[in-house]
Structure formats: structure tokens, C-alpha cells
């Protein structure tokens, strides 16, 4: 069966996110003054052939650890639906 | 009150996603053969000052329409939690 697994990769909370800061500046200039912080990461949709959800989640976690996320700078979160 | 609103921006289904294709090649080379498709988009966390959830969602939707997503190539999805 094919499962769709979503991997969210975000910069670590303690690190500066220059892309987010730049976008926040842009939003302020557009008049959206109520937005006080922006952090930008990646969202990855994986299609995985697996016999059950656990197997699909394990594959996605392996993919995130090996390639999708850089543990020095990012945290990842794997969900299935 | 400060709300955390999540905006997911993904390339449109009908468009080629070269970044996703490249990552899929990398995953295959790493031996993760059960992953059959990869699509990569952005995940944006916004901190929004608003008096209620509806107002926060409206601000996030405005931000996505004006700056975060390019409607020609991307769809976005706004959620609050």
C-alpha cells in the first residue's frame, strides 16, 4: 500500500532564521503589523510503499535522518495521514 | 493574545518539482527504494497578535496571498494550533 508521509523540517529554535527575518520585514512593509515572528522551514511529502503505517513512518524517519534534515541546524517531525 | 499559525506552501500537483525529484534520486542512492515520490514545499510558522483565532487566520491568509505563496505555481494551506 502507498502511504503519504509528511516531514516537517524547521530551523532549531535557538538559531537565527535569516530567511524568516527577511520575510517578516516584507510583511511589515505590506502593512501586516500584527505578525511578530516568522520562521521558515521545509515541508516534504513522501509517497512510501509499505505494508503498514509503522513501516512507512520508519522509512520516512530514516530518510529525514540520512538526507532531509541537518541535525546541527534543524529538527524534523514525521506525521502520517 | 499570540497565536501560532502554520502555513504550508506546496508546488501545484500538475507542476514538475525538480527539487523533489533530485531528493528522490538521493534517497534511492541511499537505499531507500520504497519511497516512490517526493514533493518539497515550505513550512512557515507565524506568530500573530490577534484577539481571536479567526483574526489570526485572516492575517495569515493575507500574508500567504500577498507574499508567502506564488499562486501561479503554489497552493497554500493555513492551520492554527
Amino acid at each position: 500500500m502507498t502511504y503519504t508521509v509528511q516531514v516537517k523540517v524547521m530551523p532549531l529554535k535557538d538559531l537565527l532564521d535569516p530567511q524568516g527575518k527577511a520575510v517578516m520585514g516584507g510583511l511589515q512593509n505590506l502593512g501586516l503589523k500584527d505578525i511578530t515572528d516568522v520562521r521558515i522551514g521545509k515541508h516534504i511529502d513522501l509517497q512510501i510503499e509499505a505494508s503498514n503505517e509503522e513501516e512507512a513512518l520508519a522509512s520516512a524517519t530514516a530518510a529525514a535522518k540520512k538526507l532531509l534534515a541537518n541535525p546541527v541546524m534543524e529538527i524534523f517531525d514525521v506525521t502520517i495521514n
Side-chain angles (χ1 to χ4, degrees), chain A residues 10 14-15 17 24 26-27 30-32 36-37 45 48-49 52-53 58-59 62 66 76-77 81:
Chain A
M10 294 300 287
D14 299 326
L15 291 183
D17 174 16
M24 195 172 74
L27 291 171
L30 286 169
L32 292 157
T36 55
D37 194 35
D45 277 345
I48 302 182
E49 274 301 326
N52 57 53
E53 283 196 9
S59 272
K66 286 185 185 171
F76 69 88
D77 183 39
N81 60 353

Side-chain angles (χ1 to χ4, degrees), chain A residues 10-73:
Chain A
M10 294 300 287
L12 288 173
K13 287 242 176 340
D14 299 326
L15 291 183
L16 206 66
D17 174 16
Q19 194 187 2
K21 286 282 165 290
V23 166
M24 195 172 74
L27 291 171
Q28 303 280 324
N29 290 342
L30 286 169
L32 292 157
K33 310 269 187 203
D34 50 351
I35 298 178
T36 55
D37 194 35
V38 180
R39 288 188 81 79
I40 301 183
K42 283 174 289 185
H43 183 99
I44 302 150
D45 277 345
L46 301 173
Q47 301 291 331
I48 302 182
E49 274 301 326
S51 47
N52 57 53
E53 283 196 9
E54 285 69 38
E55 216 176 290
L57 280 174
S59 272
T61 306
K65 280 191 184 156
K66 286 185 185 171
L67 189 68
L68 304 177
N70 172 2
V72 177
M73 301 172 60

